[in-house]
Amino acid sequence: MNDNEMTVQREDGPTSGRYVIRLSPHAEAEMTFTRGADGLMTINHTGVPPEFEGRGIAARLVNKAIEDARHEHFKIHPVCSYVVAQFRRHPEWADLKA
């Protein structure tokens, strides 16, 4: 799978959802979140199948959430340890952190 095939899709439910990349017919990477009444996005889990690790897939999921937060004007509360670490690495995201 090349980078052009790694499209991030957001699936929204009434109070929760996920960002997902379908990696193969039987594998996908996802980052799950919940939404508060105020629009706050709490990211609680990021998972990439072991055979796809080390390719920047989780970072791609987080970057899409950051892009959406900027475009749709909401804040992110990172609970997932990976996303917490990404916020530490990217001080330019501080304005989006709840």
Side-chain angles (χ1 to χ4, degrees):
M1 168 167 285
N2 65 44
D3 284 354
N4 295 331
E5 295 169 332
M6 284 197 272
T7 302
V8 180
Q9 296 176 320
R10 187 172 88 189
E11 299 173 351
D12 289 300
T15 60
S16 64
R18 70 184 188 147
Y19 287 88
V20 63
I21 299 173
R22 287 174 179 76
L23 301 165
S24 76
H26 306 290
E28 60 187 25
E30 71 173 359
M31 184 175 70
T32 60
F33 62 86
T34 58
R35 276 285 176 85
D38 57 359
L40 176 69
M41 176 182 280
T42 299
I43 299 176
N44 47 38
H45 170 75
T46 304
V48 176
E51 64 270 24
F52 292 94
E53 289 178 352
R55 299 183 192 183
I57 294 169
R60 191 179 287 253
L61 294 167
V62 176
N63 287 332
K64 180 62 173 151
I66 294 297
E67 178 184 310
D68 287 353
R70 290 221 184 277
H71 183 259
E72 297 172 27
H73 309 288
F74 61 82
K75 299 250 185 208
I76 295 173
H77 177 224
V79 174
C80 166
S81 60
Y82 178 79
V83 180
V84 168
Q86 288 300 307
F87 266 89
R88 272 194 222 114
R89 288 185 189 116
H90 294 276
E92 69 274 18
W93 297 349
D95 62 313
L96 299 175
K97 187 176 178 186

